[in-house]
Amino acid sequence: MAEKEPKPPSMPQSLRGMRDLWGDALALHEHVRAVASNVLRSHQFAPIEVPAVESTNLYERGTGESTDIVTKELYAFETRGGDKVSLRPEFTPGIARAYTENGLSRLGLPQRLFAIGPLFRHDRPQAGRYRQFWQVDAETIGGTGDPIYDAQSIAALHRILKELKAPATLEINSIGDRVCRPGYRKLLVAYYTEHEKKLCADCVRRLVTNPLRLLDCKEPGCVKLRENAPKMLDKLCAPCAAHFTEVMEYLDELGIPCTLNPYLVRGLDYYNRTVFEFVHEIGSLAGGGRYDYLFETLGAKPTPAVGWAIGVERVVDALGDRYQIPGKKPRPIFVAHAGEKARKSALSLGELLIGAGIPVKDALAKDSLKAQLKTADKEGCPLAIIVGQKEAFDKTAIIRDFRTGLQEAFPIARIAEEVKKRLKDLRD
Ligand code: AMP
């Protein structure tokens, strides 16, 4: 009996909640990152890059052991050397570590730093939620905890969303500090304990681990209960109340409208005083707040700080398919050869044009000129530069304008200049 052919192995697929990006979707993603980077640089922020893998301890202590991110969503594993490490679920603890480890405070205070890159959370995948997603993250670290830094940080975020034309409402709250929050927490626990039977299962757990988070539960029963819950804003101590008033005054001065949301607490442990989110109809595009205790919690010198993160995918979703990237890059020109002997000349001419800053497409592996020009048409190239045997010998090339069908020969030495001129005329 003939032996059965072994089945070819099946192709591994991408993981749940992770996706590939290419074409227009990637162009939009890159556009969001570029706008954010430009705005942040003009708002005194300098770029920083931190590793995508850090010790698990950093997130347990930094992000907080009572947060969903740490308890449910961390990609934590042991390395071959036995170290407990995690893929970064957020930027802030890594940037705080880098700031301290590299002594960045010596560069002047506050330090304004931003990072852009992918993050990993083993979240339940659903619309707008991925397990690998990108954030633009900006932190203002050190100096004093002056409310003007909160306002300036929010102003940079506001400008990014405005430049991207991603309309979102700024919601803001204060969650107090070590002085006033413990008393408020007690009031909150007392209130919810009285109504424990009406809480969802998660909130019964939160009542012990992180009672403030009861306020942002989306379950209808819990939403109804919070209406009569005590509000942090009514219980702020005098310095926290003054800080919050000043943040609001500065925002008013900057013409940045905001809405008070007494239920906004944010999911992370380290926030104090100001917390905020920019909310769009599809959900939260960005969020952040002040975190004056994180550095101490990590074992560093007490350092006041304020920061935020934008979800790049969320902003891309908010912009939608019809969003036009302003000032799109010029379309590439096409380089083609006519005849085997001209292939090498066309190859080096392509390199010469790229070197002159002109985007180039080609199909040099194809033999027939017709087949190559068909590709040019598919790619939407406005011009083709064709090298035939005669041109290769003469050190010239033909420029063909696809709109008019006209062809004209130029010496190789003048080609780049002529192409640039024509591309400019096309744009104007
Ligand atoms: P956070 O770090 O949780 O405060 O989130 C800041 C922003 O990141 C949110 O406003 C979202 O826009 C975005 N974001 C958070 N989690 C995800 C996720 N799983 N997938 C995509 N975007 C996310």
Side-chain angles (χ1 to χ4, degrees), residues 121 123 128-130 133 135 266 284-287 309-311 314:
R121 294 184 193 172
D123 214 343
R129 285 207 171 271
Y130 305 100
F133 61 97
Q135 279 189 348
R266 314 260 312 124
S284 158
L285 301 188
I310 301 177
R314 280 298 163 77

Side-chain angles (χ1 to χ4, degrees), residues 15-18 53-54 56 69-70 72-77 85-89 119-123 130-132:
L15 300 174
R16 241 187 119 207
M18 311 238 172
V53 186
E54 299 262 9
T56 296
I69 293 182
V70 168
K72 301 188 196 155
E73 297 167 6
L74 212 54
Y75 274 89
F77 56 99
V85 301
S86 291
L87 300 186
R88 61 183 178 206
L119 301 172
F120 305 86
R121 294 184 193 172
H122 203 269
D123 214 343
Y130 305 100
R131 289 182 170 171
Q132 175 175 334

Side-chain angles (χ1 to χ4, degrees), residues 90-336:
E90 57 151 343
F91 274 114
T92 310
I95 294 179
R97 181 204 49 68
Y99 171 91
T100 308
E101 202 170 311
N102 297 291
L104 297 186
S105 58
R106 72 177 188 282
L107 301 177
L109 295 175
Q111 271 293 298
R112 291 185 170 92
L113 300 166
F114 77 93
I116 302 180
L119 301 172
F120 305 86
R121 294 184 193 172
H122 203 269
D123 214 343
R124 204 162 3 114
Q126 48 185 292
R129 285 207 171 271
Y130 305 100
R131 289 182 170 171
Q132 175 175 334
F133 61 97
W134 282 61
Q135 279 189 348
V136 175
D137 179 279
E139 312 289 357
T140 302
I141 305 175
T144 64
D146 200 297
I148 206 155
Y149 297 143
D150 305 44
Q152 286 182 312
S153 166
I154 293 172
L157 171 52
H158 179 255
R159 185 180 300 277
I160 292 169
L161 295 177
K162 197 168 148 201
E163 285 208 1
L164 286 166
K165 299 192 176 64
T169 310
L170 169 59
E171 297 188 356
I172 194 163
N173 190 21
S174 173
I175 55 168
D177 68 1
R178 273 178 188 154
V179 176
C180 50
R181 203 171 350 157
Y184 169 70
R185 195 193 304 249
K186 269 194 200 142
L187 289 175
L188 202 63
V189 171
Y191 170 80
Y192 277 113
T193 308
E194 220 177 283
H195 301 281
E196 198 171 333
K197 286 206 183 75
K198 294 181 215 148
L199 291 175
C200 72
D202 269 344
C203 280
V204 172
R205 192 174 42 79
R206 287 182 191 128
L207 196 50
V208 183
T209 56
N210 199 348
L212 255 67
R213 294 234 52 195
L214 284 152
L215 294 172
D216 69 1
C217 178
K218 306 283 178 290
E219 288 296 320
C222 304
V223 170
K224 185 141 184 44
L225 263 185
R226 76 179 182 195
E227 279 168 21
N228 295 318
K231 292 187 175 57
M232 184 72 235
L233 281 178
D234 301 331
K235 309 289 172 197
L236 293 178
C237 59
C240 281
H243 192 278
F244 192 55
T245 305
E246 271 190 69
V247 173
M248 303 292 277
E249 281 171 8
Y250 291 135
L251 290 176
D252 188 43
E253 174 65 30
L254 291 167
I256 300 175
C258 64
T259 308
L260 272 184
N261 176 355
Y263 307 121
L264 183 67
V265 292
R266 314 260 312 124
L268 312 175
D269 277 4
Y270 47 63
Y271 288 120
N272 67 306
R273 293 194 167 166
T274 324
V275 289
F276 53 89
E277 264 180 31
F278 276 84
V279 185
H280 182 269
E281 61 194 38
I282 64 158
S284 158
L285 301 188
R290 173 159 285 287
Y291 53 99
D292 295 337
Y293 307 132
L294 174 67
F295 284 79
E296 286 173 70
T297 314
L298 293 175
K301 212 172 96 192
T303 307
V306 58
W308 49 255
I310 301 177
V312 177
E313 283 78 3
R314 280 298 163 77
V315 173
V316 166
D317 287 350
L319 296 179
D321 296 340
R322 278 171 308 168
Y323 182 81
Q324 287 288 319
I325 299 175
K328 254 193 169 175
K329 294 216 175 70
R331 276 178 296 164
I333 56 119
F334 198 82
V335 174

